[in-house]
Amino acid sequence: MTKLYTNPILRGFNPDASILRVGDDYYIATSTFEWWPGVEIYHSTDLINWTVGAEPVDRPSQANLLGNYNSGSLWAPALSYDHGRFYLIYTDVKTTGIFKDTLNYLIEAPAITGPWSEPVFLNASGFDPALFHDDDGRHYLMNMLYDHRLDHDGFAGVVMQEYDLAHHQLVGARQKIFQGTQLGNAEGPQMLKRNGWYYLICAAGGTGYSHAATIARARNIWGPYTVAPNTPLMTTKPHPDSPLQKCGHVSLVEITPDEWYATFITARPLKLQRGNCTLGRETGLTPIRWQDDWPYLLDGGEVPPLQSPLPSIAQDVEQRTDFSETIDFTTAKALPISLKSLRGPLGDHAQLTPAGLVLRGQQSITSLHRQSLLARRWQAFHFTATTTVDFAPTNFQTLAGLVLFYDTDNWQYLSINYDETKHTRYLQVMVDAAGQAHYASPRIPLPAGLVTLRAEVDHATSQFSYQLPDNDWQLIGDGLPADQLSDDYVKAQGKLAFTGAMVGICAQDLNDHTSFATFKTFDYQERR
C-alpha cells in the first residue's frame, strides 16, 4: 500500500514559503509579520516533518517593528544559498494605504543557525524581494513594483536589477521583466533555472480565495517571458469544495532530476464553501512533473491534493500531526521557540525564575509598540490552552491572564483585574472584535493565590474557564465566536489581515510598568 502524507506540512500561520535545498537538508522560510523573532526558518531531511531551525531576524537593528500596523512588518522572506553562504531577503512593510513603504533588506550567514549579519538596505520600490544566483556568477534582485499613483494599478509587475554580492550594491538599471497575467496582482517572484530556461514563478490573484500561482519562462534572464500553457499552475478559485483553499505562492525544489515538489500557500476553512480560516495561511507540499519543459501538478490540474504519496526520501517516515506541548516555566532554562512576542524582544520584561516566568506589565493589549505578551500559533481546530498564574494587582490599570489573539483589534482575553471599591481581585472576559470592545462575562470574585485559566477552542467556538486549587473547573461567560479571529473576519471589516490566530499569556501595567505576573505553566493540547 502506498503511504501518503497529508497537507498542510506546516500547520497554522506559516505563509509565503520559500524552499531551499542544500545537500541533504531542506529549509523553508515563512513570513512572521509583526511576530518576533522575525522570519521562521524550518529544517527537514524528508520534506514531511519540519522543526524550527532558525529565527534569523532576532535583533531590533535588523528590523525595527515598533509602531508598524497590524499585518505589516516582515513579509514574504526569500531564502537562497551560494558558495557556502545563506542569504535571506525580507520586506519590512511600514505603512499601508495610498502609499506603501516597503523596506527591503538582505542578511547573510555561514550556517542556517547563524550568526546572521546586520542588514543591507536594498530598495523600497515594492515588496516580496528575492535574490537569484545564476550559474555564471551573477546575482539578481527581483521584487514586485508598487505603484502609488491613483490612476494606475498598484501591482505594476515584476522588476529586476543586477546585484553585486561582493560589494552589497545594486548595479545597472532596474528593468521590468514581467507585467503579470490576466489574474492580476503579480507578486512573490522567484527564479529557477533548468535546461537552459529561466523560470519566473509568481503569486497572483491576491492572497484570499482568488489566490493562484503562475509561471513564465525565457532563454534570457531579462526576457521576454512566455506564460505557461497551463496558467495558472495552481489555484482553487473555481473550486469552492476543495478542502485546501487560497492555494498559490509556489516555490519549487528538486529531489532528483525526475522528482520535484512545490511548496504553496493554503488555508483550511472551518466549513466548505469558504468559511473562515482560523489557522491562517499554512504551507502545503505537492509533487510536480515536467512536460515539454513546463512544470505541472501531478494530475495535470490546478488544485493540489489533500494527500499525496510520500517523497522517496520519506518512505519510512511517520508524519507528525499533533503539536501539543507542555511548558513548565519553573524548570525551563529558556523560553521555547514556539512562543513569540509582538514587534520586538521582551528583554528583562520576561524572566525565567524558579518561581516561574515573570512577565512585567507594559503597554495595553491594543498597543502597536511594547507589549508583554507571549503566544504560540493555533495548529489545530480543536485545542485547549491552560496557564497557572500568580498575580496580585494593586489597581485597576494592572491586568494579566490568558488571551486568544489575532491582532490588537481582535482578541478574547480572560484577565485578572482589581476592584478598587471592594479591594479584591476578579476575573472577567473582555472581547475586541474589529476594534469594538465589550465585556463577555460578569465579574467573578477571585481570592488571593494561584489560579489556573483555560481556553478551549472547538472549531468556530471558544470557551473560557478557571480553576482554583483543589476545586473543579468553572465556566466563565458563554461560548464566543472563535472564527472571528481570522483573516476572513478581519478583511470583512475592511482591514488588511494576513496572519493567523495565536494563544498566549500577557500582562499589562497602564500605570507605571512595575507590576508583574508569575506564570507557572503554559499547556497547549490539541484534541481530535
Side-chain angles (χ1 to χ4, degrees):
M1 180 181 295
T2 302
K3 295 183 67 175
L4 305 175
Y5 69 89
T6 301
N7 276 313
I9 54 166
L10 297 181
R11 301 188 177 194
F13 177 28
N14 277 292
D16 306 327
S18 168
I19 192 167
L20 173 68
R21 177 184 176 181
V22 180
D24 294 330
D25 295 297
Y26 297 85
Y27 304 99
I28 288 177
T30 63
S31 298
T32 49
F33 297 87
E34 62 262 37
W35 291 96
W36 188 271
V39 181
E40 220 80 278
I41 298 181
Y42 293 87
H43 170 254
S44 177
T45 56
D46 55 36
L47 290 178
I48 302 303
N49 292 317
W50 299 80
T51 57
V52 177
E55 294 177 304
V57 182
D58 61 1
R59 307 186 298 277
S61 60
Q62 294 171 308
N64 182 358
L65 308 185
L66 297 183
N68 285 6
Y69 70 98
N70 291 323
S71 283
S73 297
L74 301 183
W75 287 15
L79 188 62
S80 63
Y81 180 84
D82 185 66
H83 288 85
R85 292 191 72 78
F86 290 89
Y87 298 90
L88 181 72
I89 297 185
Y90 53 89
T91 307
D92 179 5
V93 184
K94 312 299 288 186
T95 56
T96 188
I98 297 171
F99 294 92
K100 193 180 292 289
D101 293 288
T102 57
L103 309 180
N104 294 322
Y105 295 100
L106 169 68
I107 58 175
E108 59 183 278
I112 204 71
T113 53
W116 288 89
S117 69
E118 288 298 294
V120 175
F121 174 73
L122 299 170
N123 64 25
S125 60
F127 48 86
D128 294 1
L131 190 64
F132 175 67
H133 309 279
D134 207 346
D135 51 19
D136 64 359
R138 292 186 170 187
H139 313 272
Y140 300 89
L141 175 69
M142 299 166 289
N143 58 268
M144 68 79 68
L145 181 66
Y146 185 76
D147 193 333
H148 67 272
R149 293 173 292 184
L150 300 181
D151 54 352
H152 286 66
D153 187 346
F155 287 77
V158 175
V159 293
M160 187 169 71
Q161 195 168 356
E162 191 170 351
Y163 187 73
D164 184 337
L165 202 58
H167 295 93
H168 294 297
Q169 61 185 20
L170 291 161
V171 295
R174 182 182 81 190
Q175 296 184 37
K176 184 180 290 188
I177 61 171
F178 188 60
Q179 183 59 45
T181 68
Q182 73 279 4
L183 298 171
N185 290 22
E187 56 187 324
Q190 299 180 55
M191 189 75 74
L192 167 71
K193 192 174 185 180
R194 178 182 182 271
N195 291 348
W197 289 103
Y198 292 93
Y199 294 90
L200 179 62
I201 309 162
C202 291
T207 58
Y209 282 106
S210 296
H211 197 39
T214 65
I215 193 159
R217 73 183 185 189
R219 285 296 188 185
N220 186 299
I221 194 169
W222 295 104
Y225 281 88
T226 301
V227 176
N230 57 315
T231 296
L233 172 66
M234 179 186 295
T235 189
T236 47
K237 181 179 180 179
H239 308 278
D241 290 328
S242 172
L244 301 177
Q245 289 290 323
K246 305 182 183 178
C247 294
H249 203 112
V250 160
S251 182
L252 298 179
V253 65
E254 178 184 1
I255 313 306
T256 71
D258 297 320
E259 186 180 7
W260 286 70
Y261 280 82
T263 57
F264 60 94
I265 281 179
T266 187
R268 294 176 290 163
L270 287 170
K271 58 183 179 181
L272 294 183
Q273 299 298 323
R274 298 178 173 159
N276 290 352
C277 303
T278 53
L279 302 187
R281 296 177 301 148
E282 305 171 289
T283 291
L285 180 79
T286 193
I288 292 292
R289 63 177 174 86
W290 290 87
Q291 179 180 325
D292 300 325
D293 280 326
W294 288 109
Y296 289 79
L297 301 191
L298 206 57
D299 65 0
E302 60 187 12
V303 179
L306 183 65
Q307 293 187 312
S308 293
L310 286 170
S312 61
I313 56 176
Q315 290 304 299
D316 297 323
V317 168
E318 293 294 330
Q319 184 178 14
R320 182 182 177 185
T321 59
D322 189 326
F323 296 88
S324 302
E325 68 173 336
T326 297
I327 305 167
D328 185 345
F329 292 122
T330 66
T331 58
K333 302 302 181 184
L335 290 176
I337 206 165
S338 59
L339 295 182
K340 303 186 79 67
S341 58
L342 275 172
R343 294 180 174 83
L346 290 179
D348 60 7
H349 287 88
Q351 293 182 320
L352 287 169
T353 72
L357 172 66
V358 176
L359 275 186
R360 298 188 179 278
Q362 296 187 86
Q363 296 173 13
S364 75
I365 199 169
T366 63
S367 173
L368 299 178
H369 293 82
R370 300 185 186 277
Q371 289 202 41
S372 293
L373 183 152
L374 285 167
R376 57 132 34 240
R377 296 167 175 84
W378 299 10
Q379 292 181 276
F381 292 117
H382 188 187
F383 68 86
T384 59
T386 60
T387 186
T388 298
V389 58
D390 188 6
F391 178 52
T394 56
N395 68 67
F396 76 96
Q397 291 182 308
T398 54
L399 308 86
L402 179 68
V403 66
L404 300 172
F405 190 94
Y406 181 86
D407 63 20
T408 61
D409 289 328
N410 297 274
W411 39 263
Q412 299 171 1
Y413 185 18
L414 173 57
S415 61
I416 303 170
N417 310 266
Y418 185 73
D419 187 325
E420 292 185 312
T421 302
K422 298 180 179 179
H423 304 291
T424 187
R425 303 189 306 169
Y426 65 91
L427 285 172
Q428 192 163 32
V429 177
M430 181 183 284
V431 170
D432 198 342
Q436 300 298 311
H438 66 277
Y439 292 115
S441 79
R443 292 185 176 187
I444 305 298
L446 187 64
L450 295 177
V451 60
T452 301
L453 310 178
R454 181 172 69 183
E456 180 173 5
V457 172
D458 188 355
H459 293 77
T461 302
S462 57
Q463 176 68 63
F464 286 102
S465 54
Y466 71 100
Q467 184 183 50
L468 297 175
D470 301 320
N471 286 8
D472 294 331
W473 285 103
Q474 301 292 323
L475 298 181
I476 178 168
D478 297 324
L480 297 170
D483 61 331
Q484 289 185 351
L485 302 176
S486 65
D487 295 354
D488 314 275
Y489 173 81
V490 177
K491 286 182 178 178
Q493 314 309 309
K495 296 292 184 69
L496 290 176
F498 303 123
T499 57
M502 309 282 279
V503 56
I505 53 179
C506 57
Q508 297 84 31
D509 187 333
L510 311 182
N511 178 31
D512 58 10
H513 296 183
T514 61
S515 68
F516 61 89
T518 303
F519 293 86
K520 304 291 185 177
T521 59
F522 181 74
D523 188 44
Y524 167 84
Q525 294 296 318
E526 297 183 356
R527 308 298 182 188
R528 290 294 181 266

